[in-house]
Each structure stands twice: as C-alpha cells, then as structure tokens.
Amino acid sequence: AQSVAQPEDQVNVAEGNPLTVKCTYSVSGNPYLFWYVQYPNRGLQFLLKYITGDNLVKGSYGFEAEFNKSQTSFHLKKPSALVSDSALYFCAVRALSGNTPLVFGKGTRLSVIA
Amino acid sequence: GAVVSQHPSRVICKSGTSVKIECRSLDFQATTMFWYRQFPKQSLMLMATSNEGSKATYEQGVEKDKFLINHASLTLSTLTVTSAHPEDSSFYICSAPHWENSYNEQFFGPGTRLTVL
C-alpha cells in the first residue's frame, strides 16, 4: 500500500529565507511523486513532479524538490520565500505503473512572515 | 495538459436533499475517474474509483448508497450525495488519469464546495 508522511503540520519562515517542507513516502515499486499547493477555498495547483531521471526537480513559482531514494524522501524547497507562498502544501505519491489514484499526505501549512 | 472540469463549483442545499456533482474530462476520454473529499484543514481522502460502464469501487468507510457514482460516458462521471446532512459538507474533488508524455498522469478538477444547512 502507498502512504505519504508530512511530519510538520505548520512551517513558519521569514520572507527571503529558504524554506523546506518535508515529505517521506512508501510505495511498492518505483514512485511517482508530486507536490501540490492549495490556497484558501481553491482547488489544487500542481507545483512539480518526479517520475525518473534527475533527482532535483524544478517546478512552478521557483519551487524545487529533491528525490532521495535511500531516505524515501521528496522534500519541497525554495531558496527565498515570499509572503505569497503562504498556503497549504500537499505531497502525493502513486506507483509508477498502473492506473492507481494518488495518495496524499495530510498537508503542511506554510506561513511566510514579512 | 488535459483539462478536467467540475460543476457546480459551489452548492448550498437543505438537509435531506440530494445534490449531483459532475466531473468532465474536456479534451480526453477517461474510463476511470477518482473522487476525493477534503474536510476543512484536512487532506484529500479518496472516496471511490469511478469506472465507465461498470460499478464504482468504494473505499472502506464510504457508504455507496449515500454517495452514488455514475460513469455513463467516457467523459462524464457524476457523484450524487443523497439525503445530504451537515456532516457531508465538504470540498469534493475529482481527477482523471490521462497519458501525457508516455506517463499516466492524473488531472484534477477545480473542486466543488458543498454546504448542507
């Protein structure tokens, strides 16, 4: 069975500082990993994904994530946080093969303080 | 990428009424669609897998008689919340898998916010 853990409910960071939102996963076979962002009363917005290839994935709005197979992690990062990055972030995983649905982490609320 | 739409985006209804939510794949065919539910400040939980031409598969704990799913065509799945109650108030999101760049990706609808009074 697939699962995702986001160990932090809340991450606070000062504007201009680097940010990291943690994610670890469990899946049978090769993973297909995603990060989504959700603003209040809105749907999911895709940020980035990892399928195969380079472990460092670059996505939308300056975000990037590093796939670490040995640690089964896919942490989301940004070198310099903006107040507008404040939102709810979800990590999700599914097996690369087949037609299985995404399994989501519980979400991490990011608050960037000016 | 492929586009998935949902209608309505927001609905308010009285307790005891039924509400239908539509999920459409606009530019591709989807034999499978997924329905998720998100309670306030919580994660997305998979409710069921909708299969075109056959019965939906429900996750454990989801009442199939309360959440009726019909996947009547290759571009439309509907979720009907029957005899809705305030505890059914939630954000309902559908998704559909589609092959893009040799990989099977999921595309999400914008969600439907249901409020039951």
Side-chain angles (χ1 to χ4, degrees), chain A residues 1-112:
Chain A
Q2 297 143 191
S3 66
V4 175
Q6 291 181 244
E8 303 152 317
D9 291 335
Q10 173 96 27
V11 169
N12 298 318
V13 64
E15 186 176 32
N17 283 2
L19 69 87
T20 299
V21 183
K22 295 180 181 177
C23 171
T24 58
Y25 67 89
S26 174
V27 67
S28 298
N30 292 321
Y32 197 175
L33 293 155
F34 295 80
W35 275 101
Y36 289 89
V37 60
Q38 186 179 37
Y39 294 95
N41 299 312
R42 304 287 295 276
L44 296 176
Q45 290 185 34
F46 169 80
L47 277 181
L48 50 81
K49 68 186 178 193
Y50 171 82
I51 303 172
T52 185
D54 218 351
N55 288 345
L56 184 63
V57 179
K58 292 189 183 296
S60 306
Y61 312 118
F63 283 93
E64 57 189 28
E66 185 163 13
F67 171 65
N68 187 317
K69 188 173 183 178
S70 63
Q71 296 184 4
T72 61
S73 67
F74 190 57
H75 301 331
L76 180 70
K77 299 182 180 185
K78 187 173 182 180
S80 179
L82 300 172
V83 173
S84 57
D85 292 330
S86 299
L88 188 57
Y89 290 81
F90 291 102
C91 181
V93 69
R94 54 165 284 212
L96 190 54
S97 61
N99 211 20
T100 55
L102 284 174
V103 174
F104 287 83
K106 64 179 182 178
T108 298
R109 187 162 299 281
L110 173 67
S111 180
V112 181

Side-chain angles (χ1 to χ4, degrees), chain A residues 32 38 49 94 101-102 105, chain B residues 36 38 43 103-106:
Chain A
Y32 197 175
Q38 186 179 37
K49 68 186 178 193
R94 54 165 284 212
L102 284 174
Chain B
Y36 294 83
Q38 183 184 26
S43 186
Y103 291 100
N104 191 325
E105 300 202 22
Q106 275 194 46

